[in-house]
């Protein structure tokens, strides 16, 4: 269970089948990633918290704690490290990709290790930089400046309330990523807030009204909201 510092950063792989774990490790290493392997879910969760990897590759059926539970606990703690699941069955895919777990991607076993490496690289490209990164974000005609806390449509300033701004900034920090109402409540309002999930809908509607035709917020029926990427 060693972790080697590599230029692309450290990937945590939690997989209890040694042959698969070894294959994944070899391909990620060859691509310039450091790899830390764990075989047990509890050890995997602890490693994710301790090592702060750039991404996690999680098998779902694991001893100790399932991969989905690891992901859920990370998200609950506000940890948005990209997670890619290794799923053994097609019927697991809906649950994982329904994004209730906050997964970023998945591959179904048997998978090509090249494909997995490509997914890891893609997820890191999409999520490059932590959400609090200071540079302005541009999606379509909308520009959001996290430092000056300003929003503009085609250069014209739009007045958002503080909460509306935080909501839009959270969505635009991860374009294409679908957030559930519960996730948005936790991230924008904080766990202490007693607001119901309806609050999220109301604020999304307000932001959309203010952005007009340039609105970048998309509804994912039955799941939540995402900013266009
Ligand atoms: Ca397994």
């Amino acid at each position: 269970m060693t972790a080697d510092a590599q230029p692309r950063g450290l990937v945590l792989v939690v997989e209890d089948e040694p042959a698969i774990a070894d294959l994944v490790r070899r391909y990620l290493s060859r691509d310039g990633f450091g790899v830390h392997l764990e075989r047990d879910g509890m050890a995997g969760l602890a490693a994710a918290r301790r090592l702060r990897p750039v991404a996690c590759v999680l098998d779902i059926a694991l001893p100790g704690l399932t991969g989905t539970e690891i992901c859920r606990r990370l998200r609950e703690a506000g940890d948005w490290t990209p997670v890619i699941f290794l799923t053994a069955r097609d019927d697991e895919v809906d649950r994982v990709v329904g994004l209730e777990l906050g997964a970023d991607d998945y591959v179904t076993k048997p998978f090509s290790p090249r494909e997995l490496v490509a997914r890891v690289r893609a997820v890191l490209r999409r999520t490059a930089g932590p959400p609090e990164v200071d540079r302005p974000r541009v999606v379509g005609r909308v520009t959001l400046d996290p430092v000056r806390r300003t929003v503009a449509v085609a250069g014209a300033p739009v007045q958002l309330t503080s909460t509306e701004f935080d909501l839009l900034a959270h969505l635009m920090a991860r374009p294409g990523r679908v957030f559930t109402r519960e996730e948005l409540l936790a991230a924008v309002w904080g766990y202490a807030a007693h607001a119901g999930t309806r609050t999220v809908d109301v604020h999304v509607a307000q932001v959309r009204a203010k952005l007009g035709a340039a609105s970048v917020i998309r509804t994912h029926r039955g799941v939540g909201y995402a900013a266009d990427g």
Side-chain angles (χ1 to χ4, degrees), residues 16-84:
D16 59 324
E17 290 177 58
I20 296 178
D22 191 54
L23 192 65
V24 169
R25 187 224 291 266
R26 276 193 285 126
Y27 273 78
L28 284 170
S29 298
R30 195 183 297 172
D31 206 54
F33 289 100
V35 179
H36 180 91
L37 282 181
E38 293 289 352
R39 295 190 180 133
D40 169 275
M42 289 305 292
L45 178 62
R49 289 175 167 161
R50 187 175 74 248
L51 300 172
R52 314 293 303 170
V54 295
C56 300
V57 174
L58 306 178
D59 184 27
I60 290 188
L62 289 167
L65 200 64
T66 62
T68 51
E69 187 61 18
I70 294 173
C71 184
R72 201 178 63 73
R73 293 196 191 182
L74 290 175
R75 298 310 187 230
E76 261 180 13
D79 184 333
W80 292 96
T81 304
V83 167
I84 298 168

Side-chain angles (χ1 to χ4, degrees), residues 183-194:
E183 287 171 339
L184 291 170
L185 264 186
V188 176
W189 281 262
Y191 279 111
H194 294 292

